Amino acid sequence: MIDPISRIGQTYRNISRYREILSVLARHGFGDLITNLRLERYLDFSKKYFKWPQQVAHKELSRSERICLALEDLGPTFIKLGQVMSNRPDLLPEEFIVALERLQDRAPVFSSDEAIKTVERELKDSLVNLFHEFETEPVASASISQVHRAVLHSGERVAVKIQRPGLNNAIKTDVEIMYHLASLMERYLPGLEALEPMKIVEEFDNSIGKELDFTIEAYQMERFREVWKSDPRFCVPRIYSSHSSQRVLVTEWIDGIKVTHLQKLKESNIDASQIAKYGAQIILKQIFEHGFFHGDPHPGNILIRPGPVICFLDFGVVGSLSQSQKEYFISIITALVEKDSEKVARALSRISLSPVDSLPNLEKQVSEILEQYSYLPLKNLNMGELLHKFLKLITENDLRILPGFYLLLKALITIEGVGRKLDPDFDLIVHMTPFVRHMVRQRLSPKRLL
């Protein structure tokens, strides 16, 4: 954990980066924030070192869209912060959540020389001893890492995920600055008590530290492989531990078709509706039976092999649920399907970390939402749309829900969206019902009641 404030402004490195951050904020129209936080007073530099831009870039865009552009300009740490905050509808207005969900995690490639140096330093051996072949041109690049294709001496084709050189120090500096900005927000911006900026940065500090350690992702992948080893419908890339470290992750190379490339699936005689069914069952089993699930099942993280076999990639974001959290969620889903506004309101109040101001008022708002679906048969009920409306309801009532709950809802919304692209008649509730019934039977078993 970084000491939040003590080292701010003590090194030239931080001062130089601070100027860069302020320049980006000013360029995107957030000069008012710089003034309100009295940043010139906390940073000992005069105006000759800091030139205000002559005009605001993309002035025609909304404030939320300009925030996304500023985060992209500020680089990996701030991009990751935006992505984390996109999972917190309890803290940000809906327009900001929608904008942050479109945040692009992209970055220019770093040189093959730097990539090779990182691999050899991390694995303590020469590249020729480690790999039979190593493609110097990366196949993918993001803010945290880039991926190269390679072949081991044993003949297996692999993907080599390599962390950006110097990333740890850059993120450390940025997080130190974030702590300082958060402390100024709490001091000078009234009305942010509920947002708790310092706590947000602290949680982000912990989460990005885990993301920078590839051994954690490797552990998550091994965990999924072990649990799903007997199910031929689902595959997780194999980890090559002898070739992996904190900053290098070598996994099995997966050849497959992107899940939303419908024409390619058709040409390969793969039934898209069957993939939708399998994909839903896999995610629901992860949630309701195992209690840990892939937290980001968007199309870019899903490849399809003949069979069909569904392959999930990138296990950097994994959600977990305790037994009680699963049961709370079951209560909400059951009440929604039954269109029982009283049960939904009670269930929401039980999972909220903050007290509900008025349970009757919450019940009334729930009832108004459910009335919109009262005459629809279950097969026509769009669960993703309904969950989105309840996320908005939660934020409007200042309910504080555990962050993992939002990750769960986002995973379900995402997988329903993918399912409907594959099969227009896809019905998430049909696939969810057996899991819900099983959980209810478990909860009412004599052993559990005793």
Side-chain angles (χ1 to χ4, degrees):
M1 176 67 63
I2 293 171
D3 181 5
I5 301 173
S6 62
R7 286 182 285 175
I8 293 297
Q10 291 182 0
T11 65
Y12 175 78
R13 178 195 68 190
N14 284 14
I15 293 294
S16 177
R17 177 59 172 159
Y18 228 135
R19 289 177 188 151
E20 185 182 351
I21 290 170
L22 295 183
S23 295
V24 170
L25 290 175
R27 186 168 70 249
H28 288 285
F30 300 104
D32 56 334
L33 181 63
I34 295 171
T35 301
N36 291 337
L37 295 182
R38 298 162 172 80
L39 284 166
E40 296 93 334
R41 186 160 68 95
Y42 278 87
L43 294 173
D44 188 19
F45 62 89
S46 64
K47 289 186 178 179
K48 71 177 180 179
Y49 294 113
F50 180 75
K51 293 182 180 179
W52 289 85
Q54 297 298 313
Q55 59 183 18
V56 173
H58 307 290
K59 191 165 55 175
E60 74 282 359
L61 298 179
S62 68
R63 196 169 177 87
S64 59
E65 290 170 323
R66 284 186 283 116
I67 281 179
C68 287
L69 290 175
L71 293 175
E72 287 179 0
D73 284 353
L74 289 171
T77 320
F78 288 86
I79 289 172
K80 289 297 175 186
L81 177 65
Q83 291 172 337
V84 168
M85 294 307 294
S86 73
N87 293 323
R88 297 303 302 272
D90 55 326
L91 299 178
L92 295 179
E94 185 178 11
E95 66 166 305
F96 283 85
I97 296 295
V98 172
L100 289 172
E101 285 176 343
R102 294 197 295 265
L103 197 61
Q104 296 297 304
D105 186 4
R106 57 192 173 199
V109 301
F110 52 88
S111 73
S112 58
D113 286 344
E114 289 179 309
I116 291 169
K117 284 178 184 176
T118 300
V119 170
E120 291 182 335
R121 184 178 62 250
E122 284 292 310
L123 303 184
K124 299 178 175 58
D125 204 344
S126 66
L127 195 73
V128 293
N129 287 338
L130 292 165
F131 301 102
H132 177 63
E133 294 177 18
F134 183 89
E135 293 186 11
T136 54
E137 191 70 26
V139 294
S141 177
S143 57
I144 294 291
S145 61
Q146 66 186 32
V147 178
H148 292 253
R149 208 185 325 235
V151 179
L152 299 178
H153 288 291
S154 53
E156 291 108 321
R157 294 187 304 144
V158 294
V160 185
K161 182 177 178 180
I162 307 168
Q163 194 172 114
R164 286 187 170 275
L167 189 64
N168 258 310
N169 287 335
I171 287 179
K172 183 179 179 182
T173 296
D174 282 349
V175 173
E176 286 177 348
I177 292 172
M178 285 180 183
Y179 271 120
H180 188 229
L181 290 173
S183 71
L184 297 181
M185 287 179 179
E186 291 190 350
R187 182 172 181 181
Y188 292 120
L189 298 183
L192 287 186
E193 297 81 8
L195 192 60
E196 298 181 298
M198 287 289 283
K199 187 174 180 181
I200 289 173
V201 176
E202 185 178 329
E203 290 176 358
F204 174 70
D205 187 6
N206 287 328
S207 69
I208 199 165
K210 292 175 182 176
E211 192 166 350
L212 290 175
D213 185 351
F214 289 173
T215 61
I216 295 176
E217 183 177 352
Y219 164 74
Q220 301 286 18
M221 294 177 74
E222 292 287 11
R223 187 181 180 194
F224 274 90
R225 277 180 61 82
E226 178 61 27
V227 169
W228 288 89
K229 63 185 178 183
S230 61
D231 194 326
R233 302 172 304 170
F234 183 54
C235 82
V236 178
R238 176 187 169 189
I239 299 289
Y240 292 88
S241 302
S242 60
H243 288 66
S244 299
S245 70
Q246 283 191 323
R247 294 181 177 85
V248 175
L249 180 62
V250 177
T251 64
E252 170 190 2
W253 180 265
I254 298 291
D255 278 320
I257 302 169
K258 187 177 177 181
V259 68
T260 49
H261 284 175
L262 301 183
Q263 185 59 36
K264 288 185 178 180
L265 292 173
K266 186 176 180 180
E267 291 169 359
S268 301
N269 295 317
I270 296 175
D271 186 347
S273 62
Q274 192 176 31
I275 296 169
K277 174 185 174 182
Y278 284 177
Q281 290 175 349
I282 287 166
I283 284 288
L284 293 170
K285 191 172 182 179
Q286 289 175 7
I287 292 169
F288 293 113
E289 292 186 18
H290 305 150
F292 63 96
F293 58 93
H294 194 294
D296 194 16
H298 68 76
N301 282 338
I302 306 174
L303 293 179
I304 308 301
R305 285 174 162 177
V309 179
I310 300 175
C311 302
F312 277 21
L313 310 176
D314 193 349
F315 287 76
V317 180
V318 173
S320 60
L321 297 170
S322 66
Q323 182 64 27
S324 60
Q325 288 172 333
K326 284 194 288 185
E327 291 185 359
Y328 287 144
F329 181 65
I330 288 292
S331 299
I332 293 173
I333 294 298
T334 304
L336 285 175
V337 171
E338 293 174 353
K339 298 173 185 173
D340 188 326
S341 56
E342 183 184 353
K343 281 185 181 178
V344 174
R346 284 204 311 268
L348 287 175
S349 69
R350 283 198 299 270
I351 66 170
S352 175
L353 301 176
S354 55
V356 176
D357 290 336
S358 170
L359 194 59
N361 184 50
L362 180 62
E363 184 183 334
K364 180 176 180 294
Q365 293 176 64
V366 171
S367 178
E368 288 171 356
I369 292 175
L370 292 180
E371 277 180 12
Q372 300 172 34
Y373 301 91
S374 57
Y375 298 107
L376 280 179
L378 280 181
K379 67 177 182 178
N380 293 334
L381 182 62
N382 186 322
M383 180 58 74
E385 179 184 294
L386 184 58
L387 292 176
H388 264 302
K389 290 185 178 181
F390 275 94
L391 282 174
K392 188 175 180 182
L393 175 74
I394 288 169
T395 57
E396 288 174 347
N397 284 272
D398 295 324
L399 302 181
R400 300 295 300 276
I401 312 296
L402 289 170
F405 186 73
Y406 295 109
L407 190 62
L408 165 62
L409 294 185
K410 189 172 180 180
L412 286 175
I413 291 168
T414 302
I415 207 67
E416 183 182 52
V418 173
R420 285 178 182 260
K421 283 181 182 177
L422 291 165
D423 177 7
D425 296 324
F426 176 77
D427 185 352
L428 183 61
I429 291 179
V430 166
H431 297 291
M432 196 182 291
T433 300
F435 293 95
V436 172
R437 285 176 177 163
H438 178 69
M439 286 285 293
V440 170
R441 283 197 299 270
Q442 275 190 325
R443 189 165 55 184
L444 296 178
S445 70
K447 181 179 177 182
R448 182 65 193 274
L449 292 174
L450 182 62

